[in-house]
Amino acid sequence: MLARLSQRYGVLIALAAIIALLPLVFPSTYYYRVASLVWVSAFAAIGLNILMGKAGQVSLGHAGFFGIGAYAAAIGPAHLGLPSLAALVVGAGFSALLAYLVGRPILRLRGHYLAIATLGFGALVALVITTESHWTGGPDGMPVAKLSLFGWRAGGSGTWYWIAGGLLLGGAWIAFNLDETPTGRAFRALHDSEIAARVTGIDVNRFKLQAFVIAAVYASLAGSALAMMNGFVNPDQAGFLHSIELVTMVVLGGLGSVVGSIVGAAVLIMLPQFLTVFQEYENLLLGFIIIVSMIFMREGIVPTARRLISRGRA
Amino acid sequence: MPYRSPIRHIIAAGAFALSVSGLSICSPAFAQQTVKIGSVLSVTGPASFLGEPEDKTLRMYVEKINAAGGVAGKKIELVIYDDGGDANKARTFATRLIEDDKVVAMVGGSTTGTTMAMIPVFEDAQVPFISLAGAIDVIDPVRKYVFKTPHTDKMACEKIFENLKQRNLTKIAMISGTDGFGASMRAQCVKVAPTYDVEILTEETYGPRDSDMTVQLTKIKGVAGIQAVVNPGFGQGPAIVTRNFAQLGMSATPLYQSHGVASKSFIELAGAAAEGVRLPAAALLVGDKLPDSDPQKKVVVDYKQAYEATTKQPVSTFGGHAYDGLFILVDAMKRADSTDAKKVRDEIEKTKGFVGTGGIVTMSPTDHLGLDLTAFKMLEIKDGDWTLVRPGG
């Protein structure tokens, strides 16, 4: 137990150290931008991993919540006169409520049926965002007001690097802590065997719904952060491809592993930046790398690496 | 789990840090005698029909300019990134162009979505950005460092309505796509219709991937007094509208398409149904049919020949936008005799009488597009080819 605890804090401290020390090797602000994107995406991926990796439920429409968060940050200040931070909270609240209402019926589905239902949910959110152009600016998106706190305006990749880093640290900390709570244990039981979990007295539907709502809030916050960072939103952020990207981050990094989500996000964000030198072969290579890593590291990058290291030590 | 495991994470962290810093090693340092021009284009993905010809055009002409000695005593180094049509990626590449590649100007941004996402980056960095996107939002309101070359959707509406008015057709129906292009142009058309005394009696929309528009067109057919139908949209949608329109026997009513379908593939897709369809388009499509007195004739014919000879593909207006953007920029650099971003910006704004593929460009501090309605030609499809509609016809 003590070992687990200190391991958990070890990881968090290591993460904090990376966030704090990385800027020392950044030659230009462009790297702040890439790293901030990694932190924000990793934050969303950690949330989705709670649902997929811990509670064992799939969601192919998670970008829907991401989009709601992003558009909350855009619409709140522009149409409702809300301060950015309040809009972020409202967005997260709305996502939670929607996740609760939608999750109640659809989380009773399993496997492919659940996947299709969540996919449909994501498509609906994207459709509403695209069509309601009075509010959302339609398919071309809309600008987002800069985040301002007590008269101080957050602009530039440098500032956002620290905000996104802080967000990620908080998100990782909560996800780690969740593991050790009765809820976290219930999630794991649910993941291993729904029937066994039910037999031991776990309210399966309630915990599934909890995981869904938590994941939705994570995605919504990440969406708001990205929108404010970019100063611009468009419906792609709520689209199917983005949902798939989030799922890929989780699976590639390692289901159930918090560090895995961060690594998965880092790979998926940074790889296209590296691969630009290959010009038109870029997408081909990206696909190839992902296929190869899924064949040889079936559990995901981090769990596989962990297994290899502990095997080497034994 | 053994106790010492955090070390592994720290090692992993170190590897991550190294890999990030490794990015900087990849970008080679170049000598002083080059000037960097950046471009973020949607070469792949759903908007590749825009980005691909733009990409080829830029590469081809930068090579030609360099072979002829470069600009302001320097050779141009072109840095192109492919955003795949993703606005978020475009934004990252824009930051990369500014911060890492240190470009002095940018010609790019294939779609309105990617352009709008990149604008804040260039405005903050005070680097001129010549966009290749269609919507009027790019230059209205005017932003100090943002310019664009393609005609706006507002101009397309005006050109269509002008033609309608000349033919005394003032009661119309509109059917538009819900994609970015269609939605933006629809809004502009609704806005400018009253200025031309055009009344929109009914409106229908279709999704960008719909494969049948008979329902919407049947509704339009049922509305009494419709004298013409206007279809803002691009991609395959307008071709299906055109086919369904003929299938429903509505061909007696004039059908207007937008500049969004100004490519040969539209005529191929719509087939015989395309006969008689009118649309506003750039001179590039009808270069060989222009009278010799037309100042644009030489430019568009030369570009068409050069493009088709190099790429072995039919010319499109989209590549022409990139041609215009590149040469507006290069001319500005020549006039400024400098590659300083601010001086170049000022000179771009002073562009006067530039003859491009899209029209004759005269910019001003309040107009960062510089085209008027004469830049559009009204075309009619006859016998599977474009023909010029005579003014007033």
Side-chain angles (χ1 to χ4, degrees):
Chain A
M1 185 63 209
L2 189 69
R4 266 195 94 90
L5 203 70
S6 46
Q7 185 208 351
R8 195 197 321 154
Y9 283 107
V11 175
L12 276 177
I13 291 166
L15 183 62
I18 297 169
I19 294 172
L21 296 178
L22 263 185
L24 297 179
V25 296
F26 285 167
S28 76
T29 355
Y30 155 63
Y31 298 86
Y32 282 100
R33 159 82 187 168
V34 175
S36 315
L37 274 182
V38 172
W39 301 154
V40 170
S41 302
F43 183 82
I46 288 175
L48 185 57
N49 209 344
I50 292 173
L51 179 69
M52 290 181 61
K54 310 264 193 236
Q57 308 300 311
V58 69
S59 170
L60 293 183
H62 223 61
F65 296 114
F66 195 96
I68 290 171
Y71 274 88
I75 293 172
H79 294 297
L80 307 172
L82 282 175
S84 299
L85 217 54
L88 177 141
V89 175
V90 170
F94 184 69
S95 290
L97 182 72
L98 199 63
Y100 180 80
L101 293 176
V102 171
R104 264 183 90 91
I106 70 172
L107 285 168
R108 288 171 189 269
L109 303 169
R110 284 186 209 164
H112 299 318
Y113 300 101
L114 178 62
I116 295 293
T118 52
L119 191 150
F121 165 76
L124 279 176
V125 173
L127 198 68
V128 169
I129 289 175
T130 313
T131 330
E132 293 305 313
S133 49
H134 302 292
W135 288 90
T136 62
D140 284 335
M142 69 186 283
V144 181
K146 281 190 175 155
L147 176 67
S148 59
L149 283 176
F150 315 111
W152 170 78
R153 278 158 66 86
S157 307
T159 326
W160 272 102
Y161 175 84
W162 299 110
I163 299 176
L167 196 67
L168 174 65
L169 213 54
W173 180 65
I174 292 172
F176 274 123
N177 277 346
L178 192 68
D179 263 356
E180 305 300 331
T181 62
T183 310
R185 280 191 284 273
F187 286 167
R188 283 206 297 277
L190 211 105
H191 187 195
D192 293 341
S193 162
E194 229 179 281
I195 294 170
R198 202 187 293 271
V199 169
T200 52
I202 292 169
D203 185 345
V204 171
N205 290 325
R206 201 188 99 207
F207 281 107
K208 279 187 189 173
L209 196 57
Q210 257 184 27
F212 195 59
V213 170
I214 292 172
V217 170
Y218 265 86
S220 175
L221 290 176
S224 299
L226 184 70
M228 288 190 263
M229 183 164 107
N230 280 352
F232 199 82
V233 282
N234 78 358
D236 289 351
Q237 271 150 20
F240 176 61
L241 284 178
H242 192 211
S243 287
I244 295 300
E245 204 180 336
L246 289 173
V247 171
T248 314
M249 285 173 186
V250 171
V251 176
L252 192 70
L255 278 173
S257 161
V258 174
V259 181
S261 296
I262 302 173
V263 173
V267 170
L268 237 61
I269 301 278
M270 291 189 333
L271 216 50
Q273 297 290 329
F274 282 116
L275 296 177
T276 48
V277 283
F278 297 104
Q279 310 246 356
E280 54 259 55
Y281 301 107
E282 183 189 327
N283 287 331
L284 194 75
L285 271 170
L286 185 68
F288 180 74
I289 292 171
I290 290 174
I291 291 171
V292 167
S293 50
M294 282 334 289
I295 290 173
F296 293 103
M297 298 188 281
R298 218 167 281 181
E299 306 150 69
I301 297 172
V302 171
T304 309
R306 188 175 287 160
R307 191 164 45 83
L308 289 177
I309 293 170
S310 46
R311 193 197 287 164
R313 191 174 292 174
Chain B
M1 270 296 152
Y3 172 58
R4 268 184 301 160
S5 51
I7 291 171
R8 293 202 301 261
H9 296 288
I10 294 168
I11 293 170
F16 172 71
L18 274 179
S19 60
V20 173
S21 61
L23 278 170
S24 63
I25 302 164
C26 302
S27 53
F30 270 85
Q32 284 292 311
Q33 286 313 306
T34 61
V35 49
K36 275 196 185 182
I37 296 180
S39 187
V40 179
L41 301 170
S42 309
V43 185
T44 58
S48 62
F49 70 99
L50 300 170
E52 213 206 334
E54 288 161 1
D55 175 75
K56 285 181 173 145
T57 302
L58 288 181
R59 288 182 198 279
M60 179 170 93
Y61 279 96
V62 163
E63 215 169 277
K64 285 187 190 202
I65 293 168
N66 282 343
V71 56
K74 295 177 183 178
K75 295 248 191 281
I76 297 175
E77 189 195 338
L78 186 65
V79 187
I80 298 183
Y81 294 121
D82 171 21
D83 60 36
D86 176 346
N88 197 33
K89 255 194 190 169
R91 169 83 179 217
T92 307
F93 282 127
T95 315
R96 187 168 178 177
L97 283 178
I98 299 279
E99 300 292 343
D100 216 41
D101 299 311
K102 309 233 179 279
V103 297
V104 295
M106 144 99 158
V107 179
S110 304
T111 69
T112 305
T114 57
T115 294
M116 295 310 279
M118 290 190 286
I119 282 175
V121 179
F122 289 92
E123 278 289 299
D124 285 350
Q126 307 198 326
V127 168
F129 171 16
I130 302 181
S131 166
L132 312 177
I136 193 166
D137 299 353
V138 175
I139 46 138
D140 182 27
V142 173
R143 295 172 182 85
K144 198 170 175 200
Y145 286 87
V146 182
F147 304 86
K148 80 181 208 100
T149 57
H151 320 86
T152 64
D153 33 21
K154 182 175 168 222
M155 290 167 62
C157 296
E158 288 172 338
K159 189 78 187 179
I160 293 172
F161 292 159
E162 189 187 72
N163 194 256
L164 283 171
K165 207 178 168 186
Q166 282 161 359
R167 295 170 83 185
N168 271 327
L169 308 169
T170 53
K171 295 193 178 353
I172 64 158
M174 202 149 70
I175 174 166
S176 54
T178 54
D179 54 297
F181 182 94
S184 170
M185 181 166 164
R186 181 209 152 260
Q188 293 300 331
C189 283
V190 171
K191 215 193 260 176
V192 299
T195 341
Y196 290 85
D197 302 321
V198 168
E199 201 184 335
I200 300 168
L201 294 186
T202 181
E203 266 198 80
E204 295 291 332
T205 60
Y206 56 84
R209 279 178 289 275
D210 288 1
S211 55
D212 188 273
M213 283 65 151
T214 355
V215 178
Q216 291 95 322
L217 287 169
T218 309
K219 275 197 196 160
I220 289 175
K221 200 181 173 186
V223 179
I226 301 256
Q227 296 170 317
V229 178
V230 178
N231 178 200
F234 77 171
Q236 56 165 356
I240 299 170
V241 168
T242 308
R243 274 175 172 267
N244 291 163
F245 196 79
Q247 283 157 3
L248 288 174
M250 296 167 75
S251 301
T253 316
L255 174 63
Y256 283 80
Q257 290 293 350
S258 70
H259 56 311
V261 300
S263 74
K264 266 278 155 60
S265 59
F266 169 74
I267 301 183
E268 282 161 21
L269 279 172
E275 283 304 295
V277 168
R278 287 192 175 190
L279 68 153
L284 185 54
L285 282 188
V286 283
D288 45 350
K289 296 185 186 75
L290 290 176
D292 287 334
S293 59
D294 194 305
Q296 267 187 285
K297 177 150 187 165
K298 186 177 161 15
V299 173
V300 295
V301 169
D302 286 355
Y303 171 68
K304 184 176 164 54
Q305 280 169 354
Y307 185 87
E308 290 181 349
T310 312
T311 63
K312 311 273 182 281
Q313 279 168 358
V315 74
S316 81
T317 50
F318 314 118
H321 300 322
Y323 171 93
D324 295 354
L326 180 66
F327 281 96
I328 288 174
L329 177 65
V330 167
D331 283 359
M333 283 177 173
K334 277 184 189 156
R335 284 199 305 273
D337 196 25
S338 158
T339 51
D340 176 74
K342 290 196 178 61
K343 283 183 192 155
V344 172
R345 186 218 83 90
D346 293 344
E347 285 301 330
I348 296 174
E349 200 169 68
K350 286 181 204 150
T351 297
K352 195 164 181 258
F354 169 85
V355 183
T357 64
I360 293 163
V361 181
T362 301
M363 295 201 190
S364 74
T366 53
D367 182 3
H368 279 190
L369 168 68
L371 293 171
D372 59 24
L373 276 194
T374 58
F376 265 137
K377 313 282 172 199
M378 183 53 75
L379 307 185
E380 186 170 318
I381 299 168
K382 269 188 194 148
D383 303 324
D385 198 5
W386 316 108
T387 53
L388 270 168
V389 175
R390 274 171 211 296

